[in-house]
Amino acid sequence: MTEREATLHTDAGDLELPVVEPTAGNAGLDIRRLRGELGYVTFDPGFANTAGTKSSITYVDGAAGELRHRGYRIEDLAEHCSFLEVAYLLLFGELPTRAQLEAWSLEIKHHTLLSEEMKRFFDAFPRSAHPMAILSSATNAISTFYETYYNPSDSEAVIESAKRLIAKMPTIAAWAYKKSIGQPYVYPRNDLDYVENFLHMMFALPVEETKIDPVVARALNVLLILHADHGQNCSTATVRSVGSARANLFASVAAGMNALWGPLHGGANQAVIEMLQEILDDPDATVESTIARAKDPNDPFRLMGFGHRVYRNYDPRAKVLRSFAHEVLERTSGTDPMLEVAQELEARALADPYFAERKLFPNVDFYSGIIFRALGFPPRMFTVLFAIGRLPGWIANWKEMIEDPDTRITRPRQVYVGIVDRPFVPIDRR
Ligand code: CMC
């Protein structure tokens, strides 16, 4: 088979661009020789048309609204797997056998405890601290206990770091929450599975026995799976970018968490609930006025939980969550007026030409918050839950980046448009 090429014609000359062939989705044009040979760079704000890497972890078909990890459909994984099973798939490329899954779960359990010294770290934050700030800081902080694992080229150390991150993240998240409500930190229990243990650390009190509701545990398991990876999104691209400087895995993941915190990314789940709450509470904020604000080019407000860089169709994760929200609500709190508002908002937006023309559909964050609420989580913890879910994806991408011989330090070019040269003016003459 002959290799495809594209020809670029410019005033500086022509260039044959080799085509990077995909197994699915868009092919790439390899422009690596462009600047050296023709003196041009590509201009692509937000890298919306730029592939910074080849990847075999996650495939998103934005037009069809499909998401697959290592070839498996997200709907199948959400229905049949545990979160740790999906984490194994993302990291190692294959679904684990029963024996492999047992060994993997056991290894994760061995690392759930935080060093006692970390307690003082949590104590130092103000009660009002946002748990995302604590989460990323603590992720950086725990790296100080594992300096011997810092070398990205040491594949065993990378796996050990990965296990510790996955094992300790629920403990960090739950302790960030306990800190915020002034309750004692609850230690992990290794007789529980990953999700049950997290729920135990979140909601247990030393003064009484707490039972974990299997409906809640199952629902959280599905939610974590739905968040586990999503290609080169902002936080994953950040993790790769920081790691490309050969920063260690802990430092790279902490950076990704900070990217996730933004309201246009993982912070959207908290913002959706705040938007829906406003519609419920404020007589001036109706479904109509919220949609009108989102459409107003002079108002920076956006309909939170709507739109996506890749999906030009219904986000398949939102589809799962939409029906799942009813199921969870029926089995937990019964009803939630917020779900009705969300459905009305969705129906009105989908029928509106502004959203139809721009192909804006509900994304994963539109319904996730309603379910997180029904499971008992406060809105400020929503993005933390997203982070626990996304962690295996970040690690899998970081590992793929480190192992890829094509990896170079991330260092995009710019098109300079500022003043070129000026005589220096001493301070007393400015
Ligand atoms: N409400 C109103 N208008 C919107 C929205 C929205 N939620 N999203 C996009 N648009 C408009 C945008 O104003 C632009 O209009 P025009 O062509 O007239 O200028 C057009 O649609 C294209 O938008 P864009 O900003 O070029 O799209 P993007 O790919 O750069 O941004 C996005 C993607 C997710 C940041 C954006 O859709 C958004 O801000 N959505 C709300 C926040 C949100 O829900 N984020 C969660 C994303 S999914 C999970 C995750 O990654 O964390």
Side-chain angles (χ1 to χ4, degrees):
M1 201 178 73
T2 53
E3 285 179 5
R4 287 197 289 168
E5 275 190 341
T7 308
L8 180 69
H9 303 287
T10 75
D11 56 346
D14 294 353
L15 188 66
E16 300 298 325
L17 303 174
V19 172
V20 182
E21 297 292 354
T23 51
N26 302 119
L29 292 178
D30 181 346
I31 54 101
R32 280 179 289 185
R33 285 166 36 238
L34 178 61
R35 197 185 61 87
E37 297 201 13
L38 299 184
Y40 276 110
V41 295
T42 53
F43 179 64
D44 186 19
F47 305 123
N49 295 286
T50 298
T53 184
K54 293 183 218 162
S55 181
S56 34
I57 303 171
T58 287
Y59 173 62
V60 185
D61 185 332
E66 286 176 8
L67 167 62
R68 290 181 217 143
H69 298 315
R70 306 283 192 188
Y72 294 104
R73 292 170 66 243
I74 190 65
E75 293 86 349
D76 290 335
L77 296 174
E79 191 178 341
H80 301 293
C81 289
S82 70
F83 175 64
L84 281 188
E85 207 174 343
V86 174
Y88 186 101
L89 171 72
L90 291 169
L91 255 66
F92 303 111
E94 297 294 337
L95 282 170
T97 61
R98 201 175 290 281
Q100 284 169 329
L101 181 59
E102 271 168 26
W104 170 240
S105 308
L106 208 61
E107 287 181 80
I108 298 294
K109 278 182 183 175
H110 279 152
H111 298 294
T112 49
L113 265 181
L114 297 179
S115 161
E116 278 299 288
E117 287 149 305
M118 281 296 288
K119 268 190 176 168
R120 289 206 302 278
F121 179 86
F122 284 88
D123 284 342
F125 285 96
R127 176 86 78 86
S128 59
H130 196 287
M132 277 306 284
I134 304 183
L135 195 78
S136 62
S137 313
T139 301
N140 246 334
I142 59 168
S143 82
T144 57
F145 296 89
Y146 305 108
E147 283 197 20
T148 51
Y149 295 153
Y150 279 180
N151 180 3
S153 306
D154 180 344
S155 51
E156 267 179 42
V158 167
I159 296 299
E160 288 307 315
S161 306
K163 281 184 210 156
R164 279 162 183 77
L165 276 166
I166 294 172
K168 292 179 200 304
M169 208 47 66
T171 317
I172 295 174
W175 285 21
Y177 173 60
K178 288 295 193 189
K179 161 77 198 184
S180 75
I181 55 170
Q183 285 186 3
Y185 306 123
V186 176
Y187 285 97
R189 259 180 51 192
N190 288 353
D191 58 318
L192 299 174
D193 76 18
Y194 190 80
V195 171
E196 290 167 345
N197 178 46
F198 176 49
L199 289 168
H200 160 73
M201 290 187 290
M202 277 288 300
F203 300 117
L205 285 170
V207 288
E208 59 192 29
E209 208 190 317
T210 328
K211 279 216 156 58
I212 292 145
D213 181 343
V215 173
V216 171
R218 172 71 197 142
L220 186 56
N221 183 64
V222 170
L223 278 152
L224 294 182
I225 291 174
L226 293 180
H227 287 89
D229 193 41
H230 210 245
Q232 303 311 309
N233 56 87
C234 181
S235 57
T236 303
T238 302
V239 170
R240 277 183 177 259
S241 183
V242 174
S244 77
R246 303 194 74 76
N248 67 73
L249 181 59
F250 296 90
S252 306
V253 164
M257 286 171 170
N258 288 324
L260 186 76
W261 192 4
L264 295 191
H265 191 9
N269 53 18
Q270 180 182 334
V272 169
I273 292 295
E274 287 162 359
M275 176 182 76
L276 297 174
Q277 193 69 57
E278 200 184 347
I279 296 175
L280 281 169
D281 294 347
D282 181 351
D284 293 333
T286 60
V287 166
E288 289 76 28
S289 70
T290 306
I291 289 183
R293 277 191 70 198
K295 289 162 50 177
D296 181 352
N298 300 316
D299 189 332
F301 173 78
R302 286 186 163 195
L303 197 58
M304 299 315 287
F306 251 75
H308 197 275
R309 171 62 60 79
V310 182
Y311 292 119
R312 294 293 177 241
N313 203 329
Y314 217 108
D315 180 337
R317 303 166 299 174
K319 218 179 251 175
V320 173
L321 289 178
R322 192 181 197 277
S323 53
F324 202 49
H326 288 281
E327 201 184 308
V328 172
L329 281 171
E330 261 168 39
R331 299 179 69 173
T332 51
S333 47
T335 54
D336 183 348
M338 213 171 248
L339 181 58
E340 281 162 38
V341 176
Q343 282 177 320
E344 194 189 335
L345 196 60
E346 179 196 334
R348 295 281 181 97
L350 291 180
D352 191 303
Y354 173 95
F355 294 89
E357 279 159 19
R358 291 167 178 76
K359 295 191 167 62
L360 302 170
F361 292 87
N363 59 50
V364 68
D365 294 316
F366 196 70
Y367 285 107
S368 64
I370 291 176
I371 307 179
F372 287 146
R373 234 165 74 105
L375 302 184
F377 291 94
R380 279 159 70 92
M381 282 297 287
F382 293 177
T383 311
V384 170
L385 298 168
F386 193 150
I388 298 175
R390 183 55 53 89
L391 181 59
W394 287 332
I395 300 172
N397 272 276
W398 188 93
K399 187 167 163 287
E400 187 178 65
M401 178 271 306
I402 288 292
E403 290 165 0
D404 183 351
D406 277 341
T407 295
R408 298 175 74 190
I409 186 168
T410 301
R411 205 300 180 196
R413 294 277 170 174
Q414 62 178 13
V415 177
Y416 180 69
V417 293
I419 297 168
V420 176
D421 197 8
R422 293 207 267 189
F424 180 74
V425 184
I427 194 161
D428 52 4
R429 280 204 271 127
R430 284 175 219 159

